[in-house]
Amino acid sequence: MADVEMKDAKSKGEVKDAVAIPPPPLSPVSEIKSNVTLIERAVSTLEPRFTIRVLRSLTALRKRLDDKALCDAVCEVYPQDSPVRVSLLSWLPAAPVQDESMEVDSAPSPRPPSETVPEIEIYFRLLIVHHLLTSPSTYSEAIDLANETVQKIQALNRRSLDPIAAKVWFALERAYELGGELSDARPFFLAAQRTASLRHDDETQASLINRLLRSYLHYSLYDQADKLISKTNFPASAPNSQYARYHYYLGRIKAVQLDYTAAHTNLQQAIRRAPAPKLAPGFYQAVHKLFVVVELLMGDIPERSLFRHPVLEKALRGYFDIVKAVRTGSLSQFQSTLSTHAAGFEADRTYTLVARLRQNVIKTGIRRLSLSYSRISLRDICVKLHLDSEEDAEYIVGKAIRDGVIEGRIVHEKGWMECGGQKPGYGPEVSEMFSRRIGYCLELHNQSVKAMRYPLNAHRKDIVDAEGAREREKELAKGIQEEIDEDDALGGV
C-alpha cells in the first residue's frame, strides 16, 4: 500500500509540474499565420476586434522579425504564381532557391489568390515597413514602400482596412522622421486628414491628427498646432492609444501657453489611457516628465512614491532634484540643479518650462519665511533667497502678497515686511478643488460607460424572448377566457 501511495504521489507531482510549465512562444512565422487567420475572420464577420487583436501584438512581433521570417511567411500564405507574393518579396532580399523549392515541393499552396483578402497584403506591407526601419540604410526604401501602401489603401477604400491604415500612417510618419524629412510629409497628412474626415474614417482621422500634432511640435510650431486643434474634432470612437497621444500633445501645447490647469487635466487623461508601463515605457516616462513640471508650475509638489516607480526612477532623477529645490525654496540649489541637468531637460524639450520654476522657488521661499517670522527686513529676504538687490525683493514680496501667496504687508519707511497669520484651510479654493475632483470622477464614469463592449446582435435574443413571452401571455389569456365562457355556459344551464 505504501509503494502504491508513493507512486500516486509521484504521479500527482509530475502532473502538477506538467501543468505549471508554460507553452513555448510561437515562432514569428507561426504568429504571422495566426494573425492572417484572424484578419480573414475579421473581414468575413465584420468584427474589427479581431484586427485590433492582431495589431495589439505588432510591437512585440516587429522586434523578432528578420528577412527569412518575412520571406517564409509570405511564401506560406501566397502561392508561387501570385502577383502579390512577387510584389512583397521584391522589397526583401532574395530567399535561397533551395529553401523555396523545398517549400513548393513539400506542400501545395494553402489558398488560391482569389481567396486572399487585400487586408492581408496591407498587413504584410506594414510588417515589411517596420522591418526596413530597423536599419538606417533602408530608410529611403521604407518611405517608398509606405507611400505605395498608402496609395493602395486610398484606392481600395475599405472600412475593414481602417485599423491597419492607422498603423500604416504611423509607420509612414516614423519613416519620414527617421529620414529627417518630417516636414515634407505634412502636406500628405493634411490632405489625407481631409479625406478621412469626409469618409468618416475615425481610425485614420485620429491617427492623422496625432501625426500632424507631432510634426508641428517637433518644429516648435505651437500656434499652428493650436489652430489645428481648434479646427478639428477628435473622433470619440478612437482607441485609447490614440487618445493618450492626443492628450499628451494637447497638454504640452497648453503648458507652453501658460494654461497649466488644462495641461494638468490632459496629462492626467494621457496617463490614465496610456498602455502599461512595461509595454510602452518611453511614452510613460515622457508623459510623467511633463506632468511633474506642470504640477510644480501649478504650485503643487508631486508625491514621492512617483519617483520610486521602477520605470520612472532613473528617468525622473533630474526632475526629482528640481522638486527638492522647489520644495525647500532654495534658489541657489535650483540654479545648480538646472545647470547640472540642462542637457537632459533640453533633450526632453522641457527646459523652458523648468526655467519658469524660478518664480515658484522664490514664492516657496517667501512663504516659508512668512511662516517663520512675524517681521523680517527686505535685506534679510534678499540674503536668504540669494536675490540681487532689495528692490527685487520688495517687488517679489509685493507680487506674492497681491497673488495671495502670503498674508502680510510691506512697510516702506522701515524697510521690512510684516507677516500675517496663516491662511485658513477652508474657503472658495477648497470648494473649487472639490468641484474639479467631482467633475473628473463624473467624466471618468461617462467614458467607462462609453468604452463598454457588447456582443454583436445581442438585442435580437431579447426580441425573440419578448415575442415568446407575448405569445405565452396570449395563450394564457385565451385559456382564461375559455374557462370563463365554460363557467357562464354551465351557470346558464
Short mmCIF file of all heavy atoms in Angstrom, two decimals, residues 322-374:
data_model
loop_
_atom_site.label_atom_id
_atom_site.label_comp_id
_atom_site.label_asym_id
_atom_site.label_seq_id
_atom_site.Cartn_x
_atom_site.Cartn_y
_atom_site.Cartn_z
N ILE A 322 14.97 68.78 -9.00
CA ILE A 322 14.26 70.05 -9.16
C ILE A 322 13.13 70.16 -8.14
O ILE A 322 12.89 71.23 -7.55
CB ILE A 322 13.72 70.18 -10.60
CG1 ILE A 322 14.86 70.40 -11.59
CG2 ILE A 322 12.70 71.31 -10.71
CD1 ILE A 322 15.54 71.75 -11.46
N VAL A 323 12.42 69.06 -7.90
CA VAL A 323 11.34 69.07 -6.92
C VAL A 323 11.87 69.38 -5.53
O VAL A 323 11.26 70.15 -4.78
CB VAL A 323 10.60 67.71 -6.95
CG1 VAL A 323 9.64 67.61 -5.77
CG2 VAL A 323 9.84 67.55 -8.25
N LYS A 324 13.02 68.82 -5.18
CA LYS A 324 13.60 69.10 -3.87
C LYS A 324 13.99 70.56 -3.75
O LYS A 324 13.79 71.18 -2.68
CB LYS A 324 14.82 68.20 -3.64
CG LYS A 324 14.47 66.74 -3.43
CD LYS A 324 15.67 65.94 -2.96
CE LYS A 324 16.71 65.82 -4.04
NZ LYS A 324 17.84 64.93 -3.63
N ALA A 325 14.52 71.15 -4.82
CA ALA A 325 14.89 72.57 -4.78
C ALA A 325 13.66 73.46 -4.65
O ALA A 325 13.66 74.44 -3.89
CB ALA A 325 15.69 72.93 -6.03
N VAL A 326 12.58 73.12 -5.37
CA VAL A 326 11.35 73.92 -5.28
C VAL A 326 10.71 73.76 -3.90
O VAL A 326 10.19 74.73 -3.33
CB VAL A 326 10.37 73.49 -6.39
CG1 VAL A 326 9.03 74.20 -6.24
CG2 VAL A 326 10.96 73.80 -7.77
N ARG A 327 10.76 72.57 -3.37
CA ARG A 327 10.12 72.31 -2.07
C ARG A 327 10.82 73.06 -0.94
O ARG A 327 10.17 73.59 -0.04
CB ARG A 327 10.13 70.80 -1.79
CG ARG A 327 9.39 70.40 -0.53
CD ARG A 327 9.34 68.89 -0.41
NE ARG A 327 8.64 68.48 0.80
CZ ARG A 327 9.23 68.34 1.98
NH1 ARG A 327 10.54 68.56 2.10
NH2 ARG A 327 8.52 67.98 3.04
N THR A 328 12.14 73.13 -1.00
CA THR A 328 12.89 73.85 0.04
C THR A 328 12.94 75.35 -0.20
O THR A 328 13.26 76.11 0.72
CB THR A 328 14.31 73.30 0.14
OG1 THR A 328 14.96 73.41 -1.14
CG2 THR A 328 14.30 71.84 0.58
N GLY A 329 12.65 75.80 -1.43
CA GLY A 329 12.70 77.22 -1.73
C GLY A 329 14.10 77.77 -1.83
O GLY A 329 14.32 78.97 -1.63
N SER A 330 15.07 76.92 -2.14
CA SER A 330 16.47 77.34 -2.26
C SER A 330 16.76 77.71 -3.70
O SER A 330 16.80 76.84 -4.58
CB SER A 330 17.40 76.22 -1.78
OG SER A 330 18.75 76.57 -1.98
N LEU A 331 16.98 78.98 -3.95
CA LEU A 331 17.24 79.44 -5.30
C LEU A 331 18.61 78.99 -5.80
O LEU A 331 18.78 78.65 -6.97
CB LEU A 331 17.13 80.96 -5.37
CG LEU A 331 17.10 81.59 -6.76
CD1 LEU A 331 15.93 81.05 -7.57
CD2 LEU A 331 17.04 83.10 -6.67
N SER A 332 19.61 78.96 -4.90
CA SER A 332 20.94 78.52 -5.31
C SER A 332 20.93 77.04 -5.68
O SER A 332 21.56 76.63 -6.68
CB SER A 332 21.94 78.78 -4.17
OG SER A 332 21.53 78.09 -3.00
N GLN A 333 20.23 76.22 -4.92
CA GLN A 333 20.12 74.79 -5.26
C GLN A 333 19.38 74.60 -6.57
O GLN A 333 19.73 73.71 -7.37
CB GLN A 333 19.40 74.05 -4.13
CG GLN A 333 19.28 72.55 -4.35
CD GLN A 333 18.52 71.86 -3.23
OE1 GLN A 333 18.14 72.51 -2.24
NE2 GLN A 333 18.29 70.57 -3.37
N PHE A 334 18.38 75.43 -6.82
CA PHE A 334 17.63 75.32 -8.07
C PHE A 334 18.53 75.66 -9.26
O PHE A 334 18.52 74.95 -10.28
CB PHE A 334 16.43 76.25 -8.03
CG PHE A 334 15.68 76.34 -9.34
CD1 PHE A 334 14.82 75.33 -9.75
CD2 PHE A 334 15.85 77.45 -10.17
CE1 PHE A 334 14.15 75.41 -10.95
CE2 PHE A 334 15.17 77.54 -11.37
CZ PHE A 334 14.32 76.52 -11.76
N GLN A 335 19.31 76.72 -9.15
CA GLN A 335 20.18 77.11 -10.27
C GLN A 335 21.26 76.07 -10.52
O GLN A 335 21.56 75.74 -11.68
CB GLN A 335 20.84 78.47 -9.96
CG GLN A 335 19.87 79.64 -9.88
CD GLN A 335 19.23 79.97 -11.22
OE1 GLN A 335 19.65 79.49 -12.26
NE2 GLN A 335 18.21 80.81 -11.19
N SER A 336 21.83 75.50 -9.48
CA SER A 336 22.85 74.47 -9.68
C SER A 336 22.25 73.20 -10.29
O SER A 336 22.86 72.57 -11.18
CB SER A 336 23.52 74.15 -8.34
OG SER A 336 22.57 73.62 -7.42
N THR A 337 21.06 72.82 -9.84
CA THR A 337 20.39 71.64 -10.41
C THR A 337 20.02 71.87 -11.87
O THR A 337 20.15 70.97 -12.71
CB THR A 337 19.14 71.29 -9.59
OG1 THR A 337 19.49 71.12 -8.22
CG2 THR A 337 18.50 70.02 -10.11
N LEU A 338 19.57 73.07 -12.18
CA LEU A 338 19.19 73.39 -13.56
C LEU A 338 20.40 73.32 -14.49
O LEU A 338 20.30 72.80 -15.61
CB LEU A 338 18.55 74.78 -13.62
CG LEU A 338 18.02 75.25 -14.98
CD1 LEU A 338 16.95 74.30 -15.49
CD2 LEU A 338 17.49 76.68 -14.89
N SER A 339 21.54 73.84 -14.03
CA SER A 339 22.75 73.78 -14.87
C SER A 339 23.28 72.36 -14.99
O SER A 339 23.84 71.98 -16.02
CB SER A 339 23.82 74.70 -14.28
OG SER A 339 24.15 74.30 -12.96
N THR A 340 23.10 71.54 -13.94
CA THR A 340 23.62 70.17 -13.98
C THR A 340 22.83 69.31 -14.97
O THR A 340 23.43 68.54 -15.75
CB THR A 340 23.54 69.54 -12.58
OG1 THR A 340 24.30 70.34 -11.66
CG2 THR A 340 24.08 68.11 -12.60
N HIS A 341 21.52 69.44 -14.97
CA HIS A 341 20.66 68.60 -15.81
C HIS A 341 20.14 69.35 -17.04
O HIS A 341 19.10 68.97 -17.59
CB HIS A 341 19.47 68.08 -15.00
CG HIS A 341 19.87 67.26 -13.81
ND1 HIS A 341 20.29 65.95 -13.91
CD2 HIS A 341 19.93 67.58 -12.49
CE1 HIS A 341 20.57 65.48 -12.70
NE2 HIS A 341 20.36 66.44 -11.82
N ALA A 342 20.82 70.39 -17.46
CA ALA A 342 20.33 71.20 -18.59
C ALA A 342 20.27 70.37 -19.86
O ALA A 342 19.31 70.48 -20.65
CB ALA A 342 21.23 72.42 -18.78
N ALA A 343 21.27 69.52 -20.09
CA ALA A 343 21.27 68.73 -21.33
C ALA A 343 20.09 67.76 -21.36
O ALA A 343 19.45 67.59 -22.41
CB ALA A 343 22.59 67.96 -21.43
N GLY A 344 19.79 67.15 -20.22
CA GLY A 344 18.65 66.24 -20.18
C GLY A 344 17.32 66.94 -20.38
O GLY A 344 16.43 66.43 -21.09
N PHE A 345 17.18 68.14 -19.80
CA PHE A 345 15.94 68.90 -19.97
C PHE A 345 15.76 69.36 -21.41
O PHE A 345 14.64 69.37 -21.93
CB PHE A 345 15.93 70.10 -19.03
CG PHE A 345 15.89 69.73 -17.58
CD1 PHE A 345 16.48 70.54 -16.61
CD2 PHE A 345 15.26 68.57 -17.15
CE1 PHE A 345 16.44 70.20 -15.27
CE2 PHE A 345 15.22 68.22 -15.82
CZ PHE A 345 15.81 69.04 -14.88
N GLU A 346 16.85 69.74 -22.06
CA GLU A 346 16.75 70.14 -23.47
C GLU A 346 16.41 68.95 -24.35
O GLU A 346 15.66 69.10 -25.34
CB GLU A 346 18.07 70.78 -23.91
CG GLU A 346 18.31 72.16 -23.28
CD GLU A 346 19.65 72.73 -23.71
OE1 GLU A 346 20.41 72.02 -24.40
OE2 GLU A 346 19.95 73.88 -23.33
N ALA A 347 16.95 67.78 -24.04
CA ALA A 347 16.58 66.59 -24.82
C ALA A 347 15.11 66.23 -24.63
O ALA A 347 14.46 65.77 -25.58
CB ALA A 347 17.47 65.41 -24.40
N ASP A 348 14.58 66.46 -23.44
CA ASP A 348 13.16 66.20 -23.17
C ASP A 348 12.26 67.34 -23.63
O ASP A 348 11.02 67.22 -23.51
CB ASP A 348 12.94 65.96 -21.67
CG ASP A 348 13.69 64.74 -21.17
OD1 ASP A 348 13.97 63.85 -21.99
OD2 ASP A 348 14.01 64.70 -19.97
N ARG A 349 12.85 68.45 -24.09
CA ARG A 349 12.10 69.64 -24.54
C ARG A 349 11.26 70.23 -23.41
O ARG A 349 10.13 70.69 -23.62
CB ARG A 349 11.22 69.29 -25.75
CG ARG A 349 11.98 68.68 -26.91
CD ARG A 349 11.06 68.24 -28.02
NE ARG A 349 10.48 69.38 -28.71
CZ ARG A 349 11.02 69.99 -29.76
NH1 ARG A 349 12.16 69.54 -30.27
NH2 ARG A 349 10.44 71.01 -30.34
N THR A 350 11.82 70.20 -22.21
CA THR A 350 11.15 70.79 -21.05
C THR A 350 12.00 71.87 -20.38
O THR A 350 11.66 72.33 -19.29
CB THR A 350 10.83 69.70 -20.01
OG1 THR A 350 12.04 69.02 -19.63
CG2 THR A 350 9.85 68.69 -20.57
N TYR A 351 13.08 72.29 -21.02
CA TYR A 351 13.99 73.25 -20.37
C TYR A 351 13.31 74.58 -20.12
O TYR A 351 13.46 75.18 -19.05
CB TYR A 351 15.25 73.43 -21.22
CG TYR A 351 16.27 74.36 -20.60
CD1 TYR A 351 17.16 73.90 -19.64
CD2 TYR A 351 16.33 75.70 -20.96
CE1 TYR A 351 18.09 74.74 -19.06
CE2 TYR A 351 17.25 76.56 -20.39
CZ TYR A 351 18.13 76.07 -19.45
OH TYR A 351 19.04 76.92 -18.86
N THR A 352 12.56 75.08 -21.11
CA THR A 352 11.90 76.38 -20.94
C THR A 352 10.85 76.32 -19.83
O THR A 352 10.67 77.29 -19.09
CB THR A 352 11.24 76.81 -22.25
OG1 THR A 352 10.35 75.77 -22.70
CG2 THR A 352 12.30 77.04 -23.32
N LEU A 353 10.17 75.19 -19.70
CA LEU A 353 9.17 75.06 -18.64
C LEU A 353 9.85 74.97 -17.27
O LEU A 353 9.35 75.54 -16.29
CB LEU A 353 8.31 73.82 -18.88
CG LEU A 353 7.44 73.84 -20.14
CD1 LEU A 353 6.72 72.51 -20.31
CD2 LEU A 353 6.43 74.97 -20.09
N VAL A 354 10.96 74.25 -17.20
CA VAL A 354 11.67 74.14 -15.92
C VAL A 354 12.24 75.50 -15.52
O VAL A 354 12.26 75.85 -14.33
CB VAL A 354 12.78 73.08 -16.02
CG1 VAL A 354 13.62 73.04 -14.75
CG2 VAL A 354 12.18 71.70 -16.26
N ALA A 355 12.70 76.28 -16.50
CA ALA A 355 13.24 77.60 -16.18
C ALA A 355 12.18 78.52 -15.60
O ALA A 355 12.51 79.46 -14.84
CB ALA A 355 13.85 78.22 -17.44
N ARG A 356 10.91 78.29 -15.93
CA ARG A 356 9.83 79.11 -15.36
C ARG A 356 9.65 78.87 -13.86
O ARG A 356 9.00 79.67 -13.18
CB ARG A 356 8.51 78.82 -16.06
CG ARG A 356 8.47 79.18 -17.52
CD ARG A 356 7.11 78.81 -18.11
NE ARG A 356 7.04 78.98 -19.55
CZ ARG A 356 5.99 78.66 -20.29
NH1 ARG A 356 4.91 78.15 -19.69
NH2 ARG A 356 6.01 78.83 -21.60
N LEU A 357 10.21 77.79 -13.35
CA LEU A 357 10.01 77.46 -11.93
C LEU A 357 10.81 78.36 -11.00
O LEU A 357 10.67 78.24 -9.78
CB LEU A 357 10.43 76.00 -11.68
CG LEU A 357 9.53 74.93 -12.31
CD1 LEU A 357 10.16 73.55 -12.16
CD2 LEU A 357 8.16 74.94 -11.64
N ARG A 358 11.63 79.24 -11.54
CA ARG A 358 12.40 80.14 -10.67
C ARG A 358 11.49 80.98 -9.79
O ARG A 358 11.73 81.15 -8.59
CB ARG A 358 13.30 81.03 -11.52
CG ARG A 358 14.21 81.95 -10.71
CD ARG A 358 15.14 82.73 -11.62
NE ARG A 358 16.05 83.56 -10.85
CZ ARG A 358 15.78 84.79 -10.44
NH1 ARG A 358 14.58 85.35 -10.73
NH2 ARG A 358 16.65 85.48 -9.73
N GLN A 359 10.40 81.49 -10.37
CA GLN A 359 9.46 82.29 -9.58
C GLN A 359 8.77 81.43 -8.52
O GLN A 359 8.52 81.89 -7.41
CB GLN A 359 8.42 82.92 -10.50
CG GLN A 359 9.00 83.90 -11.51
CD GLN A 359 9.64 85.11 -10.83
OE1 GLN A 359 9.18 85.57 -9.77
NE2 GLN A 359 10.70 85.64 -11.44
N ASN A 360 8.49 80.18 -8.85
CA ASN A 360 7.88 79.29 -7.85
C ASN A 360 8.82 79.01 -6.69
O ASN A 360 8.40 78.90 -5.54
CB ASN A 360 7.46 77.97 -8.51
CG ASN A 360 6.35 78.15 -9.51
OD1 ASN A 360 6.51 78.85 -10.51
ND2 ASN A 360 5.20 77.55 -9.26
N VAL A 361 10.11 78.88 -6.99
CA VAL A 361 11.09 78.68 -5.93
C VAL A 361 11.13 79.89 -5.01
O VAL A 361 11.17 79.75 -3.78
CB VAL A 361 12.48 78.39 -6.54
CG1 VAL A 361 13.53 78.31 -5.45
CG2 VAL A 361 12.46 77.11 -7.34
N ILE A 362 11.09 81.07 -5.61
CA ILE A 362 11.12 82.29 -4.79
C ILE A 362 9.86 82.41 -3.96
O ILE A 362 9.90 82.77 -2.77
CB ILE A 362 11.31 83.52 -5.70
CG1 ILE A 362 12.69 83.46 -6.39
CG2 ILE A 362 11.18 84.81 -4.91
CD1 ILE A 362 12.91 84.54 -7.41
N LYS A 363 8.70 82.09 -4.55
CA LYS A 363 7.45 82.16 -3.79
C LYS A 363 7.45 81.16 -2.63
O LYS A 363 6.97 81.47 -1.53
CB LYS A 363 6.27 81.86 -4.72
CG LYS A 363 5.97 82.99 -5.69
CD LYS A 363 4.77 82.62 -6.57
CE LYS A 363 4.45 83.74 -7.54
NZ LYS A 363 3.29 83.41 -8.41
N THR A 364 8.00 79.96 -2.88
CA THR A 364 8.08 78.98 -1.79
C THR A 364 8.97 79.48 -0.67
O THR A 364 8.66 79.32 0.52
CB THR A 364 8.61 77.64 -2.34
OG1 THR A 364 7.78 77.21 -3.41
CG2 THR A 364 8.64 76.58 -1.25
N GLY A 365 10.10 80.09 -1.05
CA GLY A 365 10.98 80.64 -0.02
C GLY A 365 10.32 81.74 0.77
O GLY A 365 10.46 81.82 2.00
N ILE A 366 9.59 82.62 0.09
CA ILE A 366 8.90 83.70 0.79
C ILE A 366 7.82 83.14 1.70
O ILE A 366 7.62 83.63 2.83
CB ILE A 366 8.30 84.68 -0.25
CG1 ILE A 366 9.43 85.40 -0.99
CG2 ILE A 366 7.38 85.69 0.42
CD1 ILE A 366 8.93 86.29 -2.10
N ARG A 367 7.11 82.10 1.26
CA ARG A 367 6.08 81.50 2.10
C ARG A 367 6.69 80.89 3.37
O ARG A 367 6.13 81.02 4.46
CB ARG A 367 5.33 80.43 1.32
CG ARG A 367 4.10 79.89 2.06
CD ARG A 367 3.45 78.73 1.34
NE ARG A 367 2.95 79.10 0.03
CZ ARG A 367 3.45 78.65 -1.12
NH1 ARG A 367 4.48 77.81 -1.09
NH2 ARG A 367 2.96 79.03 -2.27
N ARG A 368 7.84 80.25 3.23
CA ARG A 368 8.49 79.68 4.40
C ARG A 368 8.96 80.77 5.36
O ARG A 368 8.86 80.63 6.58
CB ARG A 368 9.68 78.81 3.96
CG ARG A 368 9.27 77.55 3.22
CD ARG A 368 10.48 76.85 2.64
NE ARG A 368 11.35 76.35 3.69
CZ ARG A 368 11.25 75.15 4.23
NH1 ARG A 368 10.30 74.31 3.83
NH2 ARG A 368 12.07 74.75 5.17
N LEU A 369 9.46 81.87 4.81
CA LEU A 369 9.89 82.98 5.67
C LEU A 369 8.70 83.62 6.37
O LEU A 369 8.79 84.02 7.54
CB LEU A 369 10.64 84.02 4.84
CG LEU A 369 12.01 83.59 4.27
CD1 LEU A 369 12.59 84.69 3.39
CD2 LEU A 369 12.97 83.24 5.40
N SER A 370 7.56 83.74 5.67
CA SER A 370 6.39 84.36 6.29
C SER A 370 5.82 83.51 7.42
O SER A 370 5.25 84.04 8.38
CB SER A 370 5.31 84.60 5.23
OG SER A 370 4.81 83.36 4.74
N LEU A 371 6.02 82.20 7.34
CA LEU A 371 5.56 81.33 8.42
C LEU A 371 6.54 81.30 9.60
O LEU A 371 6.15 81.01 10.72
CB LEU A 371 5.36 79.90 7.88
CG LEU A 371 4.27 79.72 6.83
CD1 LEU A 371 4.25 78.28 6.33
CD2 LEU A 371 2.90 80.10 7.38
N SER A 372 7.80 81.61 9.32
CA SER A 372 8.82 81.54 10.38
C SER A 372 8.99 82.87 11.11
O SER A 372 9.39 82.88 12.29
CB SER A 372 10.17 81.12 9.78
OG SER A 372 10.06 79.87 9.11
N TYR A 373 8.72 83.98 10.45
CA TYR A 373 8.95 85.30 11.04
C TYR A 373 7.65 86.09 11.02
O TYR A 373 6.88 86.04 10.06
CB TYR A 373 10.02 86.08 10.26
CG TYR A 373 11.38 85.41 10.24
CD1 TYR A 373 11.73 84.54 9.20
CD2 TYR A 373 12.30 85.66 11.25
CE1 TYR A 373 12.96 83.93 9.17
CE2 TYR A 373 13.56 85.05 11.22
CZ TYR A 373 13.88 84.19 10.19
OH TYR A 373 15.11 83.59 10.16
N SER A 374 7.43 86.84 12.07
CA SER A 374 6.32 87.79 12.08
C SER A 374 6.72 89.12 11.44
O SER A 374 5.87 89.87 10.99
CB SER A 374 5.85 88.04 13.52
OG SER A 374 6.90 88.58 14.30
#
